[in-house]
Amino acid sequence: AWAFHAPRAGWRCWVADESKLLVHDGSAWTENGTSAGGREVLIANRTYYVRTDGSDSNDGLTDSSGGAFLTLQKAWNTILTLDLNGFTVTVEVGNGTYTAGVNMATAPVGGNVIWDGDTTTPGNVIVSVTGNNGFTLNAPCTVTVRGFELRTTTSGNCLVASKGLLQFDALIFGACAGFHIRLDTHAHAKASSASWTINGNAQRHFSVALNAALEISNSTVTVSGTPAFSSAFAYAFTGAAATWFSTTVTGAATGKRYDVSQNAIVNTFGVGASYFPGDVAGTTATGGQYA
């Protein structure tokens, strides 16, 4: 047996077969990673469930009306009570329409989070918000959003990040009062070997500003139904960068193709000025570059 002299709060110890994690709370060791008065420490990946017939009084651990959460925000708030301990939490969101998004303003401890709708048929899981954003990341962590149809009315954007890394795949961007994708203040969004569909109007499909970065590579973007972009499909300003590498964009839209200014860069790796959909030529100004 092992003996510890004067263990301190926060010390951790695995038992020999790694079936349990012991955590010391300053007065005693407790099993399974739950420190008295502290965070539960994960010893494996975890899944929470959200359903339209769930309840925020549930624990979120079972895919049933009596087990799942009702709202996305409750799932995030629960994740914040954990020590992820290097593991990943996946939130499985069931079919239906959700009229409230999620504001991820605080980073979880020690791991990444995946929001998982229906990656085969994203239209089965709709986040349709009035007067607010769909998914907002404002914390230094990595979050993946996949398998949703996203819409906003009155005001609000579909995906927003001002900190952290936001990864996305298998989305449908529907009608949006603001921007489909909005990145500010050093945020980073990434889609690699991904695919998504755009079938709704918006002010901009993507907007990057204040040194934010959007990185798209080896992906497929399908524009359906000739949506209109009242500002521009692609918009970058104030030192931001958007790179679209080896990515296929098909379909038609109305509005300006791109608007790049204030030392920002949009790099399509030489595909040409007609790469982004639209019926108005793109523009650059005050140090903005399109390549």
Side-chain angles (χ1 to χ4, degrees), residues 1-2 7-8 15 20 28 55-56 70 74 76 100 109 123 170 182 188-189 208 214 252 259 261 270 275 291:
W2 290 90
R8 298 179 181 179
V15 299
K20 295 177 183 177
S55 169
D56 285 348
L70 176 62
K74 176 62 176 180
W76 182 258
V109 174
R182 177 173 180 169
H188 185 189
V208 291
L214 174 64
D259 189 331
S261 64
Y275 174 64

Side-chain angles (χ1 to χ4, degrees), residues 67-124:
F69 295 134
L70 176 62
T71 66
L72 309 180
Q73 192 66 52
K74 176 62 176 180
W76 182 258
N77 292 346
T78 301
I79 293 167
L80 294 182
T81 68
L82 307 174
D83 180 344
L84 276 58
N85 193 33
F87 294 101
T88 296
V89 174
T90 300
V91 183
E92 295 285 354
V93 183
N95 291 357
T97 298
Y98 299 84
T99 57
V102 57
N103 183 14
M104 298 170 281
T106 301
V109 174
N112 302 327
V113 177
I114 298 172
W115 294 95
D116 200 11
D118 185 335
T119 56
T120 301
T121 310
N124 285 340

Side-chain angles (χ1 to χ4, degrees), residues 2-262:
W2 290 90
F4 293 91
H5 296 282
R8 298 179 181 179
W11 280 23
R12 301 175 185 178
C13 176
W14 290 97
V15 299
D17 63 358
E18 296 192 353
S19 62
K20 295 177 183 177
L21 175 65
L22 305 181
V23 176
H24 203 277
D25 65 6
S27 60
W29 293 98
T30 56
E31 295 184 358
N32 298 326
T34 302
S35 175
R39 298 176 182 274
E40 177 187 359
V41 181
L42 297 189
I43 59 174
N45 293 330
R46 174 165 293 182
T47 300
Y48 287 110
Y49 297 91
V50 176
R51 291 168 47 132
T52 56
D53 60 355
S55 169
D56 285 348
S57 297
N58 294 335
D59 63 12
L61 295 172
T62 306
D63 188 11
S64 66
S65 60
F69 295 134
L70 176 62
T71 66
L72 309 180
Q73 192 66 52
K74 176 62 176 180
W76 182 258
N77 292 346
T78 301
I79 293 167
L80 294 182
T81 68
L82 307 174
D83 180 344
L84 276 58
N85 193 33
F87 294 101
T88 296
V89 174
T90 300
V91 183
E92 295 285 354
V93 183
N95 291 357
T97 298
Y98 299 84
T99 57
V102 57
N103 183 14
M104 298 170 281
T106 301
V109 174
N112 302 327
V113 177
I114 298 172
W115 294 95
D116 200 11
D118 185 335
T119 56
T120 301
T121 310
N124 285 340
V125 188
I126 300 169
V127 177
S128 181
V129 183
T130 299
N132 212 328
N133 301 321
F135 288 86
T136 301
L137 177 61
N138 188 23
C141 57
T142 298
V143 172
T144 301
V145 179
R146 63 192 187 194
F148 296 89
E149 180 172 342
L150 305 176
R151 309 171 187 166
T152 71
T153 58
T154 308
S155 64
N157 311 288
C158 293
L159 294 179
V160 180
S162 56
K163 291 180 183 177
L165 171 60
L166 178 63
Q167 301 180 132
F168 62 95
D169 187 15
L171 299 177
I172 298 173
F173 290 99
C176 176
F179 313 148
H180 287 145
I181 302 168
R182 177 173 180 169
L183 306 177
D184 299 306
T185 320
H186 303 289
H188 185 189
K190 182 177 181 180
S192 179
S193 300
S195 64
W196 66 94
T197 297
I198 304 164
N199 64 14
N201 302 338
Q203 294 179 36
R204 304 166 187 167
H205 178 55
F206 72 81
S207 179
V208 291
L210 302 171
N211 301 304
L214 174 64
E215 180 183 350
I216 310 298
S217 63
N218 300 297
S219 297
T220 301
V221 180
T222 302
V223 183
S224 175
T226 319
F229 296 93
S230 59
S231 173
F233 182 92
Y235 197 96
F237 65 106
T238 319
T243 59
W244 287 56
F245 174 75
S246 190
T247 292
T248 300
V249 181
T250 59
T254 61
K256 185 183 286 190
R257 296 180 187 273
Y258 58 86
D259 189 331
V260 189
S261 64
Q262 299 177 20

